Short mmCIF file of all heavy atoms in Angstrom, two decimals:
data_model
loop_
_atom_site.label_atom_id
_atom_site.label_comp_id
_atom_site.label_asym_id
_atom_site.label_seq_id
_atom_site.Cartn_x
_atom_site.Cartn_y
_atom_site.Cartn_z
N LEU A 5 -47.81 158.33 -0.45
CA LEU A 5 -48.41 157.09 -0.79
C LEU A 5 -47.90 155.97 0.11
O LEU A 5 -48.62 155.18 0.62
CB LEU A 5 -48.09 156.73 -2.21
CG LEU A 5 -48.64 155.34 -2.75
CD1 LEU A 5 -50.13 155.29 -2.66
CD2 LEU A 5 -48.12 155.08 -4.16
N PHE A 8 -49.28 156.83 3.86
CA PHE A 8 -50.73 156.96 4.13
C PHE A 8 -51.59 156.16 3.14
O PHE A 8 -52.81 156.26 3.22
CB PHE A 8 -51.12 158.40 4.06
CG PHE A 8 -50.34 159.30 5.05
CD1 PHE A 8 -49.45 160.23 4.63
CD2 PHE A 8 -50.63 159.15 6.42
CE1 PHE A 8 -48.79 161.01 5.56
CE2 PHE A 8 -49.94 159.92 7.35
CZ PHE A 8 -48.99 160.88 6.93
N THR A 53 -47.01 141.68 17.56
CA THR A 53 -46.19 142.85 17.21
C THR A 53 -44.90 142.77 17.97
O THR A 53 -43.81 143.15 17.49
CB THR A 53 -46.92 144.15 17.47
OG1 THR A 53 -48.18 144.18 16.75
CG2 THR A 53 -46.08 145.33 16.99
N MET A 58 -38.72 142.26 16.48
CA MET A 58 -37.35 141.69 16.40
C MET A 58 -37.12 141.03 15.08
O MET A 58 -35.97 140.45 14.89
CB MET A 58 -37.11 140.70 17.54
CG MET A 58 -37.39 141.23 18.96
SD MET A 58 -37.07 139.99 20.17
CE MET A 58 -38.34 138.75 19.76
N GLY A 101 -45.00 130.07 25.23
CA GLY A 101 -44.21 131.16 24.66
C GLY A 101 -42.70 131.02 25.02
O GLY A 101 -41.82 131.22 24.13
N PHE A 103 -41.19 128.26 25.70
CA PHE A 103 -40.66 127.14 24.93
C PHE A 103 -40.36 127.59 23.50
O PHE A 103 -39.28 127.20 22.95
CB PHE A 103 -41.71 126.06 24.91
CG PHE A 103 -41.24 124.77 24.26
CD1 PHE A 103 -40.10 124.09 24.64
CD2 PHE A 103 -41.93 124.29 23.05
CE1 PHE A 103 -39.67 122.90 24.00
CE2 PHE A 103 -41.48 123.15 22.44
CZ PHE A 103 -40.37 122.45 22.86
N VAL A 108 -36.01 129.11 19.59
CA VAL A 108 -35.45 130.12 18.67
C VAL A 108 -34.22 130.76 19.14
O VAL A 108 -33.23 130.83 18.36
CB VAL A 108 -36.55 131.25 18.42
CG1 VAL A 108 -36.01 132.40 17.60
CG2 VAL A 108 -37.75 130.64 17.75
N PRO A 145 -68.64 127.83 34.07
CA PRO A 145 -69.34 128.65 35.05
C PRO A 145 -69.93 129.92 34.43
O PRO A 145 -69.33 130.52 33.56
CB PRO A 145 -68.20 128.99 36.00
CG PRO A 145 -67.15 127.99 35.82
CD PRO A 145 -67.22 127.60 34.33
N GLU A 157 -71.11 150.89 30.81
CA GLU A 157 -72.10 151.77 30.17
C GLU A 157 -71.63 153.24 30.36
O GLU A 157 -71.19 153.67 31.45
CB GLU A 157 -73.46 151.62 30.84
CG GLU A 157 -74.14 150.32 30.47
CD GLU A 157 -75.57 150.30 30.79
OE1 GLU A 157 -76.08 151.31 31.30
OE2 GLU A 157 -76.29 149.27 30.52
N ALA A 175 -59.20 144.39 25.08
CA ALA A 175 -58.31 144.65 23.94
C ALA A 175 -57.66 145.97 24.03
O ALA A 175 -56.48 146.16 23.73
CB ALA A 175 -59.12 144.51 22.61
N ILE A 178 -54.84 145.84 26.59
CA ILE A 178 -53.69 145.19 26.00
C ILE A 178 -53.00 146.10 25.06
O ILE A 178 -51.73 146.19 25.02
CB ILE A 178 -54.10 143.86 25.30
CG1 ILE A 178 -54.68 142.89 26.32
CG2 ILE A 178 -52.89 143.23 24.62
CD1 ILE A 178 -53.79 142.39 27.35
N LEU A 186 -43.43 148.82 24.31
CA LEU A 186 -42.58 148.97 23.13
C LEU A 186 -42.07 150.38 22.96
O LEU A 186 -40.94 150.58 22.46
CB LEU A 186 -43.33 148.53 21.88
CG LEU A 186 -43.65 147.04 21.75
CD1 LEU A 186 -44.44 146.77 20.45
CD2 LEU A 186 -42.38 146.27 21.77
N GLN A 188 -42.15 153.14 25.38
CA GLN A 188 -41.76 153.95 26.47
C GLN A 188 -40.80 153.29 27.47
O GLN A 188 -40.51 153.83 28.51
CB GLN A 188 -43.04 154.35 27.28
CG GLN A 188 -44.06 155.05 26.40
CD GLN A 188 -43.62 156.43 25.88
OE1 GLN A 188 -42.94 157.18 26.59
NE2 GLN A 188 -43.95 156.71 24.67
N MET A 217 -36.67 135.40 24.37
CA MET A 217 -37.46 134.52 25.10
C MET A 217 -38.61 135.26 25.85
O MET A 217 -39.75 134.84 25.82
CB MET A 217 -36.62 133.75 26.16
CG MET A 217 -35.73 132.74 25.60
SD MET A 217 -34.99 131.65 26.82
CE MET A 217 -36.43 130.77 27.42
N ALA A 227 -51.84 135.16 23.39
CA ALA A 227 -52.62 134.14 22.77
C ALA A 227 -53.57 133.42 23.77
O ALA A 227 -54.72 133.15 23.53
CB ALA A 227 -51.73 133.11 22.14
N LEU A 259 -49.97 144.79 7.58
CA LEU A 259 -50.69 145.96 7.07
C LEU A 259 -50.21 147.22 7.86
O LEU A 259 -50.03 148.30 7.29
CB LEU A 259 -52.21 145.80 7.26
CG LEU A 259 -52.85 144.90 6.26
CD1 LEU A 259 -54.29 144.57 6.65
CD2 LEU A 259 -52.82 145.52 4.85
N MET A 263 -47.45 151.30 7.04
CA MET A 263 -47.67 152.72 7.41
C MET A 263 -46.45 153.32 8.01
O MET A 263 -46.42 154.51 8.34
CB MET A 263 -48.86 152.81 8.34
CG MET A 263 -50.19 152.28 7.71
SD MET A 263 -51.53 152.25 8.91
CE MET A 263 -51.62 154.01 9.27
N LEU A 284 -63.90 144.76 7.07
CA LEU A 284 -64.16 143.87 5.88
C LEU A 284 -65.09 142.77 6.27
O LEU A 284 -66.08 142.53 5.55
CB LEU A 284 -62.83 143.35 5.33
CG LEU A 284 -62.12 144.13 4.25
CD1 LEU A 284 -60.85 143.46 3.92
CD2 LEU A 284 -62.97 144.36 3.04
N SER A 295 -67.83 133.89 2.35
CA SER A 295 -66.66 134.09 3.18
C SER A 295 -65.35 134.01 2.42
O SER A 295 -64.37 134.63 2.74
CB SER A 295 -66.62 133.12 4.31
OG SER A 295 -66.65 131.77 3.90
#
Side-chain angles (χ1 to χ4, degrees):
L5 175 64
F8 301 110
T53 305
M58 303 181 298
F103 183 61
V108 172
E157 289 195 2
I178 299 296
L186 290 180
Q188 304 296 320
M217 287 192 66
L259 284 171
M263 299 175 61
L284 270 177
S295 60

